[in-house]
Amino acid sequence: MKIVVVGAGDVGKYLCKVLSEDGHSVTLIEAEDETITEVEENLDIRVVKGNGASAKFLMQASAQNADYVLAMTQFDQLNIVACAIASKLGARKTIARVHDMVYSDVSAFNYRKNFNIDILINPEALTAVELAKHIRNPARFVVEEFARGQIELQEIEISENAEALGRPLKELKLPSGIKIGYVESNGVLTVPTADTVLNAGDKVTVLGAPESLSKNAHIFSEALSEQSARVVLYGATETSVALVRRLSHSRFKVRVIDPDIKKCRTMAETFPEITVINGSATSLRLLEEEQIGNADYFVACTKDDEENVMTCLQAKKLGAKNVELVVNKSDYEQVIQNISSFLNITAAASPRKTSVAEIKKYITDKHYTVAGSLKNGDIEFIEIKVESDSWGEGKKLYELNLPPATIIAAIVDEQLNAKVPGAPDIINASDRLIVILEKKNVPQVVDMFLEK
């Protein structure tokens, strides 16, 4: 496919590399001579020197004929303008990278819709989703997230004394918004019925909003009853802000440490329910005074990778149960991955890698995207956009007559609000459906939601 990338920062450069290696025709728009030289020496792509928010340079890059225009600079406004212009010129789809969460908030103004941008990507928010996954679900076998973390899939093993043990599913009375997708018993995966009885050692695949799943996980395993967690974040960065939002539940006791007093004040004003400490986590004395050794999670979120590694090591030495960190520099990603088990690092997340992984889900010439898989790829998670005048538009879930073992796990509306649907829920045009199904049934299901 023909892809135009605007901006060759860490994310943009890596994106160009990955897409060109995947066989796509990539054109980069970049203004800095030094960066252009580096790209031309290392990547087999076309480069246009200029301003990516200019129609002139977008046309030179053939954005009007592009399948995708991906605006990846560090400036939100430039990315939004570049995508808006590219869309007007004729680009099939546009994706803009944004840092400020105001652009993702549709309560006052829908920037994505009004600027005709298909997808907004927030690297810091995606990184926070990855880090929060481990904090929220420490004992799950499998955790997948959909709709930017609004819906989770968890695999839970039925324990000996679970409430669900030996009872048919119809007696469990699960809250609305929670759905059991599959049951694996003795290695055999099945879609359960109301009369399915769960036995100790069976694994259930459960779908729902993260907080709802956490609250009700004890039904399947007594070891997963809700427990409070003490979380310390170092660095009042965009990632920390996104992570605090994802941990906004009374069971999480959150403290943020940052040496910048202005950032501390802003964080304290934005989140009055958390504790904010002005200081540096590189100071062993401060870590001891703040009893970091008692923390369940210490997460280093600064822009400085060296500080992130060193503070995690200090926190672990003092007794913190789990440490996580953000990796900003591409040169450090492989090194930290190689030594993470040696250093007892629970999770390391890269804004660059999480962003590119998210974007790659949408770079396809098919009418759907693959969001993940289970059981060696035999079962896929796909995302489909419901088209106007399709066979499935306007129908209730129970009217769809889906193939066996096919589950609509989530519906994401135009405002990007996601929910786990029930049988009476209606499928509307422009909804995005997260569907879990056997790979062989993908063409049949996708066809239901394409324009006639």
Side-chain angles (χ1 to χ4, degrees):
M1 285 187 286
K2 297 178 181 177
I3 300 174
V4 175
V5 177
V6 178
D10 279 342
V11 174
K13 198 184 306 176
Y14 183 56
L15 192 56
C16 288
K17 177 179 182 293
V18 170
L19 294 177
S20 63
E21 288 176 351
D22 286 347
H24 299 292
S25 174
V26 180
T27 300
L28 170 69
I29 303 177
E30 171 59 46
E32 297 295 329
D33 288 325
E34 187 176 338
T35 304
I36 291 172
T37 300
E38 181 187 350
V39 169
E40 288 180 331
E41 288 176 352
N42 293 286
L43 300 178
D44 184 21
I45 65 172
R46 179 184 170 218
V47 181
V48 172
K49 182 183 177 181
N51 177 3
S54 160
K56 172 186 173 182
F57 295 112
L58 283 165
M59 292 179 72
Q60 281 186 24
S62 298
Q64 64 273 25
N65 300 316
D67 294 296
Y68 290 86
V69 172
L70 315 174
M72 297 289 122
T73 78
Q74 60 181 315
F75 304 107
D76 292 358
Q77 295 88 341
L78 190 155
N79 293 337
I80 290 171
V81 171
C83 284
I85 294 172
S87 181
K88 285 290 185 181
L89 290 174
R92 187 166 68 88
K93 287 192 176 180
T94 60
I95 300 177
R97 172 189 180 183
V98 295
H99 298 277
D100 195 329
M101 292 182 187
V102 70
Y103 297 114
S104 304
D105 182 6
V106 298
S107 59
F109 186 82
N110 191 326
Y111 289 87
R112 185 185 63 82
K113 185 174 182 179
N114 284 284
F115 284 92
N116 206 25
I117 301 169
D118 291 284
I119 300 159
L120 295 176
I121 294 288
N122 185 319
E124 289 75 24
L126 292 171
T127 303
V129 168
E130 185 64 24
L131 295 169
K133 182 166 68 176
H134 300 276
I135 299 172
R136 301 170 70 102
N137 309 292
R140 310 315 194 262
F141 292 92
V142 175
V143 178
E144 294 281 351
E145 72 278 336
F146 308 108
R148 313 286 174 86
Q150 293 183 73
I151 303 294
E152 281 188 353
L153 174 151
Q154 298 179 5
E155 186 179 85
I156 305 173
E157 184 172 315
I158 304 300
S159 68
E160 290 286 351
N161 298 308
E163 291 180 30
L165 187 68
R167 297 170 60 188
L169 295 184
K170 62 186 176 186
E171 293 183 7
L172 293 184
K173 297 180 181 178
L174 293 175
S176 61
I178 291 182
K179 180 182 291 188
I180 296 178
Y182 297 96
V183 174
E184 183 178 347
S185 182
N186 298 318
V188 178
L189 199 67
T190 59
V191 175
T193 67
D195 295 317
T196 298
V197 175
L198 300 176
N199 300 304
D202 288 350
K203 294 176 183 177
V204 291
T205 300
V206 190
L207 299 146
E211 281 304 333
S212 186
L213 290 180
S214 178
K215 186 177 181 180
N216 293 282
H218 67 277
I219 295 172
F220 307 103
S221 174
E222 60 178 1
L224 299 180
S225 56
E226 275 197 303
Q227 296 178 344
S228 62
R230 293 158 294 187
V231 183
V232 178
L233 311 180
Y234 179 45
T237 59
E238 298 96 330
T239 301
S240 286
V241 170
L243 194 48
V244 170
R245 293 186 194 280
R246 296 206 61 76
L247 301 177
S248 60
H249 187 277
S250 58
R251 72 187 179 98
F252 297 112
K253 311 302 179 186
V254 179
R255 284 179 285 167
V256 177
I257 302 173
D258 194 280
D260 188 319
I261 187 63
K262 290 183 180 179
K263 289 182 179 180
C264 287
R265 287 197 185 104
T266 301
M267 186 69 87
E269 290 168 1
T270 306
F271 303 105
E273 71 278 9
I274 70 172
T275 302
V276 181
I277 301 157
N278 179 224
S280 174
T282 58
S283 165
L284 182 60
R285 180 179 177 182
L286 182 135
L287 294 180
E288 290 173 336
E289 287 176 352
E290 294 300 327
Q291 300 181 330
I292 300 303
N294 295 327
D296 295 294
Y297 286 87
F298 178 89
V299 189
C301 303
T302 78
K303 303 287 187 181
D304 187 316
D305 288 349
E306 290 87 348
E307 281 202 6
N308 289 345
V309 172
M310 293 307 298
T311 53
C312 279
L313 290 176
Q314 293 228 80
K316 191 69 179 177
K317 186 175 180 181
L318 288 172
K321 293 185 179 67
N322 299 276
V323 294
E324 301 184 348
L325 57 88
V326 175
V327 185
N328 301 283
K329 294 179 182 177
S330 57
D331 293 342
Y332 284 16
E333 285 172 359
Q334 191 60 50
V335 175
I336 291 175
Q337 183 178 334
N338 291 340
I339 64 174
S340 59
S341 58
F342 174 73
L343 299 179
N344 290 317
I345 296 172
T346 302
S350 160
R352 184 184 76 141
K353 283 199 168 181
T354 55
S355 298
V356 172
E358 181 75 8
I359 290 168
K360 281 193 68 177
K361 293 178 184 178
Y362 301 100
I363 304 296
T364 176
D365 54 2
K366 299 175 182 177
H367 293 287
Y368 65 95
T369 59
V370 178
S373 63
L374 281 174
K375 308 307 170 190
N376 298 317
D378 293 336
I379 294 173
E380 287 190 336
F381 316 139
I382 65 171
E383 182 173 326
I384 312 168
K385 185 175 181 180
V386 179
E387 296 184 358
S388 298
D389 199 33
S390 63
W391 181 86
E393 184 208 358
K395 287 187 168 56
K396 296 178 180 179
L397 254 64
Y398 69 79
E399 298 174 327
L400 292 177
N401 193 27
L402 295 166
T406 299
I407 300 161
I408 296 185
I411 297 177
V412 185
D413 63 22
E414 281 198 283
Q415 282 69 48
L416 302 182
N417 297 312
K419 69 174 181 178
V420 174
D425 280 305
I426 296 172
I427 305 294
N428 298 307
S430 297
D431 282 348
R432 291 184 178 274
L433 309 180
I434 307 295
V435 186
I436 305 177
L437 73 174
E438 293 182 353
K439 191 173 183 177
K440 65 183 181 181
N441 291 326
V442 168
Q444 178 186 347
V445 172
V446 170
D447 193 55
M448 291 181 176
F449 304 103
L450 299 182
E451 190 173 359
K452 295 175 184 175

